[in-house]
Amino acid sequence: MTSFDPRLTPARPDLAARHLQGKVVADRYVDGVVREVMEAQVPVRRQPMPDAPLETEALCGERVTIYESTDEGWCWGQLDNDGYVGWLPDNALAPPGPPATHKVAALRTLVFPGPSIKLPPVASLPFGARVAIAQMRDGFAVTAMSGFLPAQHVVDIATSESDFVAVAERFVGTPYLWGGKTSLGIDCSGLVQVAMTACGLRCPRDSDMQEQALGTGIDWRDNIAALRRGDLIFWRGHVAIVRDAATIVHANAHHMAVAVEPTQAAIARIGGAGSAVTSVKRLAKSHATDAG
């Protein structure tokens, strides 16, 4: 049978999605049930344990197809947006509500129980979270669940940013978090995915997937001057975004944060640790505005 990437394939030896029957071998095949992420961000883990490694995060409003639920409160399923498969806490999911009409455009926004910023917030939502807005009222976007978000922090769901590099730059200073996708913590490929998604560009989750799927390789031959804003530099297990001829922006464990770093210095530093650049990819449509 064909080999499938387990990160993107809802299949295990004991259980698989019914649509994979005949393609993968499993003890049984099941139909999925669609659920919606109700919390700000939800961990997607490798195993159904709270201390299992964080693979990625699902943001509020995302849909997930669930294939198994356990008595211990875990669900195994596949994210609709990027196809990632893993375990999510059951209490963070619910049957789908009204379709999202808007998305959060601020790095993080607060949800108030009424139309006043003096009220204690009841929740906070990250950049890219999807919400169903019932009405605009007194400077607030009122959700279908009667939450009040500052109107200037949301945009229509169809709105796309014009420069994914500028989106990534807004995360500078965000702590590094393996598997993270928000301003509370983000990793290198999460930064690329969040920034590109904001521009309406489809982007896989992990850096090796991104290197394989995104753009066209360019023959830069160690010539830093050949790099352009919006190019992606890949190492094994790492990716950075080119800002201009001299600098990159990336979430990295050296700074333990999203940082702007001189490109040549980063290449030398990472190379000194035993990892050479594996490729530089240029997007056909960069969605990156020239700096200056």
Side-chain angles (χ1 to χ4, degrees), residues 6-262:
R7 296 171 295 179
L8 301 175
T9 310
R12 310 184 319 236
D14 63 321
L15 177 69
R18 193 174 303 281
H19 67 82
L20 293 173
Q21 191 166 2
K23 300 178 182 178
V24 302
V25 176
D27 293 340
R28 60 191 179 98
Y29 303 88
V30 299
D31 295 315
V33 177
V34 176
R35 291 290 181 262
E36 183 174 330
V37 175
M38 303 304 293
E39 295 187 358
Q41 70 260 2
V42 174
V44 180
R45 300 193 185 278
R46 197 174 303 171
Q47 289 95 26
M49 299 180 293
D51 58 351
L54 180 67
E55 297 286 87
T56 186
E57 291 179 313
L59 306 185
C60 183
E62 281 196 61
R63 301 289 171 92
V64 188
T65 303
I66 298 300
Y67 296 99
E68 182 183 27
S69 297
T70 72
D71 293 338
E72 291 76 27
W74 291 92
C75 292
W76 183 72
Q78 184 172 35
L79 305 184
D80 285 4
N81 285 356
D82 62 15
Y84 220 94
V85 173
W87 291 93
L88 300 86
D90 179 75
N91 60 7
L93 307 176
T101 61
H102 290 71
K103 58 186 177 181
V104 176
L107 283 186
R108 186 161 289 269
T109 192
L110 298 174
V111 183
F112 299 94
S116 171
I117 60 173
K118 295 181 180 180
L119 294 172
V122 295
S124 68
L125 296 177
F127 181 85
R130 301 160 66 90
V131 290
I133 299 300
Q135 61 174 312
M136 294 291 181
R137 172 181 159 196
D138 301 325
F140 288 92
V142 186
T143 72
M145 303 296 291
S146 298
F148 288 71
L149 288 71
Q152 60 266 47
H153 284 179
V154 299
V155 295
D156 186 272
I157 196 72
T159 300
S160 292
E161 300 269 358
S162 61
D163 181 355
F164 82 91
V165 184
V167 175
E169 289 170 332
R170 288 160 61 183
F171 283 84
V172 168
T174 296
Y176 179 84
L177 173 65
W178 180 277
K181 287 181 59 175
T182 78
S183 61
L184 296 181
I186 199 165
D187 66 12
C188 65
S189 55
L191 180 67
V192 172
Q193 186 187 52
V194 167
M196 291 185 64
T197 299
C199 291
L201 303 173
R202 293 191 63 83
C203 179
R205 176 59 179 91
D206 293 343
S207 61
D208 63 317
M209 300 175 185
Q210 294 170 356
E211 184 172 18
Q212 182 178 12
L214 299 177
T216 302
I218 65 169
D219 186 11
W220 68 296
R221 297 184 185 277
D222 299 324
N223 178 15
I224 301 296
L227 301 178
R228 297 180 187 171
R229 183 175 175 87
D231 287 346
L232 301 175
I233 305 178
F234 290 94
W235 295 260
R236 184 178 180 183
H238 188 58
V239 60
I241 305 169
V242 175
R243 296 178 65 244
D244 52 37
T247 61
I248 57 175
V249 58
H250 59 152
N252 66 92
H254 176 75
H255 296 93
M256 283 307 296
V258 178
V260 172
E261 187 174 7

